[in-house]
Amino acid sequence: MIGGLGVGLLVALLLVAWRLSSGPVSISFLTPYMQQALDDVHEGAFDVTVADTILTWAGWERTLDIRIVNLRTTLPSGELVASIPEVSISLSAQALATGTVAPRSVEFFGPRLKVVRHADGQFAVGFSGTTQGSEDFVASLIMVMLQDPDPTRAMSYLKRISVVAGEVTFEDQGLGTTWFAPSADAAFTRAEGGLKAELDLDLQAGDKLAAVSVLGNYSPSGKRVDLGVSFEDVTPAAFAGLSDKVAVMGALDLPISGTVTLSVEQNGRIEGFGFDLAGTNGHLALPVPLAARLGALSWAQRFGVDALEISGRYDGGADVLDITRLSLTAQSGETLYVPAPVYHAVPVKTLETALRYAAATGQLDISGLTMDVGGPRVEISAQLANLKADALKPGLFADVTATAYNVPFDGLERLWPKGLADDVRTWVLEGLSKGIADRATVSAALRPAPGGTTRLASLAGDMQGHGIAVKYVSTLRSEESRVGKECRYWRPEQHTI
């Protein structure tokens, strides 16, 4: 008996599929219910019209679809709010049990959406090429899912809104930028305590498309949105030309993949964000236009990297950026140029560090910076102040200590810049050869100088090594030491930049 019923249902399904394979079937008797449900959401603020409601075969994965054809929403004045060629509807069994025809899910096919972040941080979602009223239309659909089901309001049974193969334009009025995704799928789902969102899009980045996925949660009680963003092969420098306010993205001229987590208050204020990123085969750069804006034109340069990893967190309340790990492997033969008063190109193979920047005070702390400079290892710690971008530049405060290990004396010239303790440098480079500097430490202090410049206030250091050939007098032969030698020096400098 049961087996025969199953066979009968299968045969019926096959017959329906065969019938619908030749074209959709009109079920226009549902059209008034659909129109009324949409009208109720907006309490008569919009006029909703539907050309037809059809039953169509959407393939074995989706089977039967109820679809609204040519949904149009207008203001009472006749201005277009939304026009969508097709909308898929699934009916709520819970509502049908009470005698109500109500949608459980709504799926929009191919809409052109526009997301706007206003200058005050507020977000709005609407349809491209329509009136501002479309923002209210979309917001009403989303907010109705935050309400408990009500038999007198059909749309209150709605649990899911989806977008399939849509276009998304994102306008950030605060940054003065516009981003475009020619292909996007999205879903908003009713969840306990709020809404969940999923978004997959191809973001236009120059002449390339970058795959970006977003997961989000909205909590009405907490009045906040938590987002997780993952992406692959996004080159930030491709977006640097969108606005002067995002020109800093020009510093990352390499494809980057990774995740970003973000917490945003309902008023648009960023509570904080975390990031875990990796990039390969490109450049870190300080472009000339950006360097000029920052008052650091002498630092403008490009640095080739084979690999980059960076992770950390930004605290929006304290306005503090913590980079807990920055690791890079340089391209072969790369050097990092340090301008006045150093004037030196440092060869770099690898670099690892952590840093912390407090915007309120303009202080940057660099800790545990370790570099492989082609054999020798260099460790650096530094504290820098007066780095506030919006402040009058009184000159730089900086205290830097660097220690190099296992440096061949015959290669010391590559690491010791001209202009730093020149008399000691000359004596060491001309008088010492062969052997190894087991450890060489230098401490420098930079202080503000008149006219907003910076002076090298002091320089001190010491060096220990072994196997050194010492030329005591230039006319005499060299004597090779059989024990370790130690050199100490200190000299205040008056160089300004």
Side-chain angles (χ1 to χ4, degrees), residues 322-374:
D322 270 307
I323 295 180
T324 54
R325 182 170 185 262
L326 170 61
S327 174
L328 67 84
T329 301
Q331 294 178 1
S332 177
E334 279 292 344
T335 58
L336 179 65
Y337 178 70
V338 182
V342 178
Y343 299 109
H344 194 68
V346 181
V348 177
K349 292 185 65 176
T350 64
L351 180 150
E352 290 201 20
T353 190
L355 58 87
R356 184 176 192 271
Y357 175 67
T361 60
Q363 180 166 320
L364 175 66
D365 295 324
I366 301 174
S367 59
L369 192 157
T370 302
M371 291 190 298
D372 180 342
V373 293

Side-chain angles (χ1 to χ4, degrees), residues 97-450:
T98 66
T100 302
V101 178
R104 180 181 182 275
S105 68
V106 176
E107 195 170 25
F108 298 96
F109 290 90
R112 297 172 58 236
L113 298 174
K114 184 174 184 178
V115 181
V116 178
R117 178 179 178 265
H118 295 290
D120 61 1
Q122 297 282 353
F123 284 86
V125 182
F127 294 92
S128 298
T130 61
T131 67
Q132 191 173 352
S134 67
E135 298 176 357
D136 298 329
F137 177 81
V138 175
S140 298
L141 283 176
I142 295 175
M143 294 306 294
V144 76
M145 289 194 294
L146 298 174
Q147 303 170 5
D148 294 329
D150 180 354
T152 65
R153 302 192 66 190
M155 289 298 286
S156 68
Y157 290 91
L158 188 63
K159 291 187 176 181
R160 182 181 175 89
I161 297 175
S162 304
V163 171
V164 177
E167 292 182 0
V168 177
T169 300
F170 177 64
E171 179 185 352
D172 192 324
Q173 296 180 352
L175 294 177
T177 60
T178 300
W179 317 71
F180 178 64
S183 176
D185 296 330
F188 299 89
T189 307
R190 187 195 297 258
E192 184 177 355
L195 292 176
K196 293 179 62 177
E198 301 176 41
L199 176 64
D200 293 298
L201 54 85
D202 293 327
L203 188 65
Q204 191 79 48
D207 58 352
K208 298 180 180 179
L209 294 177
V212 179
S213 297
V214 182
L215 296 177
N217 289 283
Y218 170 62
S219 170
S221 59
K223 297 183 178 181
R224 57 181 283 167
V225 177
D226 295 311
L227 299 173
V229 183
S230 59
F231 49 88
E232 294 182 5
D233 296 333
V234 175
T235 302
F239 303 104
L242 294 176
S243 166
D244 286 344
K245 294 183 179 180
V246 295
V248 68
M249 298 178 76
L252 298 173
D253 190 9
L254 73 168
I256 290 180
S257 303
T259 59
V260 176
T261 57
L262 182 69
S263 297
V264 184
E265 295 180 357
Q266 191 167 292
N267 61 8
R269 191 184 74 86
I270 297 176
E271 289 186 354
F273 61 83
F275 49 92
D276 188 359
L277 312 174
T280 57
N281 300 325
H283 291 83
L284 299 179
L286 183 58
V288 170
L290 178 59
R293 285 182 52 216
L294 296 175
L297 188 59
S298 60
W299 285 88
Q301 60 188 297
R302 285 170 62 83
F303 185 87
V305 297
D306 284 332
L308 171 70
E309 295 181 11
I310 181 170
S311 58
R313 178 161 183 81
Y314 170 73
D315 183 340
D319 204 6
V320 171
L321 174 65
D322 270 307
I323 295 180
T324 54
R325 182 170 185 262
L326 170 61
S327 174
L328 67 84
T329 301
Q331 294 178 1
S332 177
E334 279 292 344
T335 58
L336 179 65
Y337 178 70
V338 182
V342 178
Y343 299 109
H344 194 68
V346 181
V348 177
K349 292 185 65 176
T350 64
L351 180 150
E352 290 201 20
T353 190
L355 58 87
R356 184 176 192 271
Y357 175 67
T361 60
Q363 180 166 320
L364 175 66
D365 295 324
I366 301 174
S367 59
L369 192 157
T370 302
M371 291 190 298
D372 180 342
V373 293
R377 186 179 88 255
V378 178
E379 296 179 354
I380 299 175
S381 62
Q383 287 187 330
L384 297 85
N386 284 359
L387 297 178
K388 293 178 66 175
D390 58 346
L392 295 176
K393 296 184 180 297
L396 179 68
F397 279 92
D399 292 298
V400 182
T401 298
T403 302
Y405 298 91
N406 301 320
V407 181
F409 272 93
D410 290 338
L412 187 59
E413 185 176 6
R414 295 187 307 138
L415 302 179
W416 192 331
K418 293 181 179 180
L420 294 183
D422 270 339
D423 54 349
V424 179
R425 181 181 186 275
T426 300
W427 183 87
V428 170
L429 295 181
E430 292 184 358
L432 305 180
S433 60
K434 300 182 181 180
I436 300 292
D438 300 306
R439 180 189 59 78
T441 298
V442 59
S443 297
L446 302 176
R447 294 295 182 264

Side-chain angles (χ1 to χ4, degrees), residues 13-91:
L13 180 59
L14 290 173
L15 288 173
V16 170
W18 172 79
R19 168 63 185 85
L20 292 175
S21 66
S22 61
V25 175
S26 175
I27 47 175
S28 57
F29 67 90
L30 286 179
T31 298
Y33 295 101
M34 298 298 101
Q35 289 188 181
Q36 185 61 47
L38 291 168
D39 279 335
D40 288 346
V41 172
H42 308 100
E43 300 178 348
F46 304 107
D47 294 328
V48 179
T49 60
V50 174
D52 196 8
T53 304
I54 61 174
L55 183 65
T56 185
W57 177 255
W60 290 105
E61 185 176 339
R62 295 174 61 99
T63 63
L64 302 179
D65 255 6
I66 299 174
R67 294 196 180 183
I68 292 174
V69 179
N70 291 332
L71 170 66
R72 287 177 59 87
T73 304
T74 58
L75 295 172
S77 61
E79 293 178 273
L80 182 65
V81 172
S83 177
I84 305 171
E86 279 192 293
V87 180
S88 175
I89 300 289
S90 70
L91 299 181

